[in-house]
Every structure is written in C-alpha cells, then in structure tokens.
C-alpha cells in the first residue's frame, strides 16, 4: 500500500495524534463505488453541460471536449474497467471528473459523498497486474480506492496501442 500511496502522491493528513489518511470523493459508476483522491481531481462537470466531439476510433472513449488550453478525452469508465462484462445500455452516466493533468476524464452516475479514508483501513490490491488502477478496497464504504496515476497510464497505454 505504501508504494501505491507514493505513486498517487497521496498526501498524508497526519498530525501527532492521527494515522495517515486521504480525502476522497466517492462516486457510483455502473454499480461500483470508486473513491477518487481529491488531489487527483482537476474538475467535476455535469455531462449535460459539455459538448463532446465523438471518437469513432475507440469504443472506450466517449469523445473529447476542448477548453481554451487543452483537449480532454472522456472515458467510458465501465467499458474500460469491466471489459466484456459491460453492457452499455445499463450505464447511467450523468457526471464526470477531470483527472490530474486534464488529459483524461472519467464518467460516472452520481457523487455519493466525500470521505476521509484511513490508509490503514484499505485492503491492498494483491493483483495489481490485473487491476493496476486499484490501490485497494475500503471495506467500510465497500468501495475501490483508485490509483489515478496508474489509471491515467493505463488510458495512455491503451490510446497508444
């Protein structure tokens, strides 16, 4: 867990009387709760407020949107995380998070809440080769703590494949 925490540059919110923790936004995406560290979020946008340029080359990218300074790919999050187990007609995306670096955003159904997660309460991902985006599981909220840096690398690798 220490290496995943260092990789995602998790800031320890610690003082002399507390354990290392990370502030996260917990979202619901295709029935799965994801905990995204606040430090890795550049923005939160309602999908209804965005005009996307469609991407017909990749089924896992819904499209792109452009700001004054850069373009951002909008990922069909469940498509890339669930693969063959994904049924597009069952998705209910309403919102998106622009991830650190602003090149990628992930879509999801809704925000559930914010949560300060003690790192000692996270069960480490024992198979990072299969789910590199998963730091571990936070059982108190039954959610997956996302390793955003690894997720972005996964998107970059898939885009350049």
């Amino acid at each position: 867990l220490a290496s995943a925490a260092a990789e995602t540059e998790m800031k320890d919110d610690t003082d002399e009387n507390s354990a290392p923790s990370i502030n996260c936004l917990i979202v619901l995406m295709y029935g799965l709760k994801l905990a995204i560290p606040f430090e890795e979020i550049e923005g939160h946008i309602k999908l209804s407020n965005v005009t996307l340029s469609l991407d017909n080359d990749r089924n896992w990218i819904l499209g792109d949107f452009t700001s004054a300074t850069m373009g951002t790919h909008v990922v069909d999050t469940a498509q890339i995380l669930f693969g063959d187990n994904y049924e597009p007609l069952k998705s209910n995306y309403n919102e998106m998070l622009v991830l650190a670096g602003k090149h990628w955003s992930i879509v999801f159904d809704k925000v559930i809440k914010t949560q300060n997660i003690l790192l000692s309460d996270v069960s480490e991902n024992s198979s990072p080769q299969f789910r590199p985006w998963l730091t571990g599981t936070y059982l108190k909220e039954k959610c997956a703590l996302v390793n955003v840096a690894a997720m972005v690398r996964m998107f970059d690798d898939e885009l350049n494949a």
Side-chain angles (χ1 to χ4, degrees), residues 36-66:
I36 315 292
F38 275 124
E39 296 166 349
E40 302 292 337
I41 299 171
E42 295 280 342
H44 172 227
I45 303 169
K46 294 278 188 193
L47 280 176
S48 59
N49 295 335
V50 178
T51 301
L52 296 178
S53 302
L54 298 180
D55 185 320
N56 293 323
D57 297 327
R58 297 165 194 88
N59 65 350
W60 58 276
I61 296 179
L62 294 174
D64 302 302
F65 73 95
T66 306

Side-chain angles (χ1 to χ4, degrees), residues 85-145:
N85 295 321
Y86 173 60
E87 297 178 42
L89 296 177
K90 291 185 178 180
S91 63
N92 188 28
Y93 301 139
N94 293 300
E95 305 175 53
M96 72 176 168
L97 292 176
V98 179
L99 302 177
K102 299 182 182 176
H103 295 289
W104 296 102
S105 66
I106 57 172
V107 292
F108 59 95
D109 304 341
K110 66 179 183 177
V111 171
I112 296 173
K113 67 185 213 172
T114 60
Q115 179 73 44
N116 185 279
I117 297 174
L118 293 175
L119 295 179
S120 60
D121 290 339
V122 175
S123 301
E124 188 173 3
N125 177 7
S126 60
S127 302
Q129 67 275 19
F130 297 113
R131 291 187 184 95
W133 57 270
L134 177 64
T135 297
T137 306
Y138 179 58
L139 294 177
K140 289 182 180 180
E141 287 293 329
K142 296 183 177 108
C143 67
L145 179 58

